[in-house]
Amino acid sequence: LKPDSGIVKCTKVSERSFAQKKDAAGVGFFHRHQFDDSVKISPPPPPVPIPSWDKVVELSLTAPRRHFRPLSRLLGCDIQDMLSWEIGFLSQSQLQDAGTSCSEYGAWTFPMRDHEGTVVGIRLRSPSGFKYAIRGSRNGLFYQPRNLQPGMPVLVVDGATDAFVG
């Protein structure tokens, strides 16, 4: 959308377009539009502050044990092993406080780490299997830094639950 030029690109409506262009994003139809003062373009929402990842991890580890049992059964591991990997659980309201929506009663948390072991984000998995991350997370690696030893071979796997070996 370019209000200053009066040109709008639409991906669906071809009727009355003055041009059509296909690019990597697909087909776009260009329309001329006369903007007046009644059309207000809202500014983007302010960025959500990035939570302290270490505090989020600590909070997720305080969840009642009953929230860990379904994932423990699914992974075939002991809850204490999950906690040693800092796999936790956040309730729906805790996730909303962190700026992330959740349509279920909560989600399991998997810390994503950088190469130095610093948590850079939190991957979430809901009980229904939906996978997403807390807003502001950066993609990282799933590993338990305390288990790494110099010269030790490292097996690279696909995701959070694959990385966990109870």
Side-chain angles (χ1 to χ4, degrees):
L1 176 65
K2 296 182 180 180
D4 296 340
S5 68
I7 297 175
V8 178
K9 179 182 177 186
C10 177
T11 58
K12 299 196 185 269
V13 180
S14 62
E15 185 179 327
R16 292 193 241 154
S17 65
F18 69 87
Q20 174 181 336
K21 181 180 179 187
K22 183 170 180 145
D23 57 18
V27 176
F29 303 99
F30 293 85
H31 301 267
R32 291 195 196 285
H33 184 76
Q34 185 65 39
F35 290 97
D36 58 25
D37 290 338
S38 66
V39 176
K40 301 289 184 224
I41 302 200
S42 351
V48 174
I50 296 173
S52 162
W53 298 121
D54 291 331
K55 286 183 181 177
V56 173
V57 169
E58 285 176 31
L59 178 62
S60 73
L61 297 174
T62 64
R65 294 287 188 259
R66 71 178 181 275
H67 293 305
F68 293 94
R69 288 188 193 111
L71 184 62
S72 170
R73 279 187 234 118
L74 181 69
L75 297 177
C77 66
D78 183 75
I79 292 173
Q80 196 54 44
D81 290 335
M82 291 169 48
L83 294 172
S84 74
W85 272 65
E86 297 180 334
I87 296 171
F89 184 88
L90 292 175
S91 70
Q92 183 181 43
S93 63
Q94 290 169 324
L95 289 168
Q96 288 172 343
D97 290 346
T100 300
S101 63
C102 177
S103 60
E104 297 185 45
Y105 67 88
W108 293 293
T109 62
F110 299 83
M112 295 186 282
R113 302 176 186 283
D114 67 11
H115 65 288
E116 294 177 333
T118 303
V119 177
V120 295
I122 307 286
R123 176 79 67 225
L124 302 169
R125 183 175 181 157
S126 70
S128 66
F130 182 67
K131 298 172 190 169
Y132 57 116
I134 291 180
R135 184 173 290 165
S137 292
R138 289 190 355 239
N139 283 327
L141 303 170
F142 300 99
Y143 66 97
Q144 211 266 32
R146 290 181 296 266
N147 289 347
L148 294 179
Q149 302 295 324
M152 180 178 152
V154 176
L155 176 63
V156 178
V157 296
D158 185 39
T161 55
D162 295 330
F164 174 74
V165 180

